[in-house]
Amino acid sequence: MDSRHPVNTRLPAMLRSGQPLRGIFNGLPSPAIVEMCAYAGFDFIVIDNEHGSADFETTENMLRAARASDIVPVVRCFESDISRVLDMGASAVQIPMVNTAQHAERLAQMVRYPAQGRRGSAFSSRAAGYGAFGGDAHTQRSNDGIALIVMVETPEGVQNADAIAAVDGVDAVFVGPNDLSHSMCFGSNWGAPEVQAAIEQAVRAVVATGKCAGVLALTPEDEKKYSAWGARYFASVTTGIFTRALKQAAQAGRGDDVQLKY
């Protein structure tokens, strides 16, 4: 791939590789944090526009930082923002609360250009190099090199995980344990056996279709457990890491335990 091209198109192949991928959610509106995550060695970063505070201009600058530092940028966004985020140069979109195969099919259509989908075409965007990389080559590069990751976060989504994963155009399915736990009436206790069983059910169903399964993994122990179920796309959270490190620095020598909720 031309290193000058605005869009990093490595992710679909990475998701098909069978290798574990380690990334990180970031909701803080900072291109510098994107670069820090790249230099730390993460495979990908999820720019969190569902719960984060970045506006579109800052999001685009974070995507520039990702391209410059060579980390694959995924943007978690709402369905209505897919077109704009992709035109800014995201390598993938990660869409929350996907409960049915029909919803996943609609999203896949929005991510790909015709004839594979119905994404609106414009070559004046950053993704097309403001025209420098437009035309049929941009269309093909995008259809081949942009990934769609959908999130299963409810009991309905868990029950439909195999059908969702089987949708042509879905590259990975990520299980969101916090929302799943809340939707199962366990609050923030996603370590509850019932919630863990639902996560395992979803992960194994996705893997059985041949697609990549992902889940939030905040510790090496989490990653090891979910790996045994077949998950390969793991993510932690910048704010949790930052807050833990800051609390440890602030409380060093005072004997206070650092316990955080995410």
Side-chain angles (χ1 to χ4, degrees), residues 172-219:
V173 177
F174 187 92
V175 183
N178 197 14
D179 277 310
L180 178 59
S181 180
H182 279 83
S183 67
M184 293 176 66
C185 300
F186 286 93
S188 298
N189 181 24
W190 71 62
E194 294 88 345
V195 180
Q196 289 297 302
I199 294 171
E200 181 176 6
Q201 178 183 340
V203 167
R204 291 190 183 277
V206 172
V207 172
T209 70
K211 297 290 181 69
C212 181
V215 66
L216 195 70
L218 301 179
T219 67

Side-chain angles (χ1 to χ4, degrees), residues 40-52:
F42 286 100
D43 297 306
F44 64 90
I45 184 168
V46 182
I47 298 170
D48 190 356
N49 283 12
E50 180 189 12
H51 297 297

Side-chain angles (χ1 to χ4, degrees), residues 50-247:
E50 180 189 12
H51 297 297
S53 56
D55 59 19
F56 283 124
E57 181 177 5
T58 302
T59 297
E60 188 169 273
N61 286 331
M62 293 169 77
L63 291 169
R64 288 190 177 97
R67 192 70 185 95
S69 57
D70 200 30
I71 187 172
V72 174
V74 178
V75 179
R76 176 161 70 170
C77 67
F78 298 108
E79 184 174 336
S80 58
D81 294 333
I82 288 175
S83 179
R84 293 187 72 174
V85 165
L86 292 180
D87 280 348
M88 292 176 194
S91 294
V93 288
Q94 184 160 321
I95 308 301
M97 294 292 179
V98 177
N99 292 322
T100 65
Q102 291 76 18
H103 188 189
E105 289 168 356
R106 183 171 75 245
L107 296 171
Q109 288 285 306
M110 296 175 69
V111 168
R112 269 81 190 190
Y113 289 115
Q116 295 183 28
R118 56 182 181 85
R119 177 182 171 187
S121 182
F123 301 141
S124 59
S125 65
R126 176 178 176 270
Y130 312 104
F133 301 102
D136 291 343
H138 170 72
T139 299
Q140 191 63 50
R141 184 187 299 111
S142 299
N143 281 350
D144 292 343
I146 300 299
L148 169 62
I149 301 160
V150 300
M151 297 189 68
V152 164
E153 304 180 272
T154 66
E156 182 184 8
V158 170
Q159 291 302 314
N160 293 325
D162 54 348
I164 291 169
V167 168
D168 188 25
V170 169
D171 297 283
V173 177
F174 187 92
V175 183
N178 197 14
D179 277 310
L180 178 59
S181 180
H182 279 83
S183 67
M184 293 176 66
C185 300
F186 286 93
S188 298
N189 181 24
W190 71 62
E194 294 88 345
V195 180
Q196 289 297 302
I199 294 171
E200 181 176 6
Q201 178 183 340
V203 167
R204 291 190 183 277
V206 172
V207 172
T209 70
K211 297 290 181 69
C212 181
V215 66
L216 195 70
L218 301 179
T219 67
E221 292 74 24
D222 287 343
E223 191 169 316
K224 182 177 180 180
K225 175 172 65 174
Y226 299 139
S227 291
W229 298 345
R232 295 191 291 104
Y233 175 91
F234 303 107
S236 53
V237 185
T238 57
T239 49
I241 292 171
F242 294 163
T243 302
R244 184 185 300 109
L246 291 168
K247 282 198 170 186

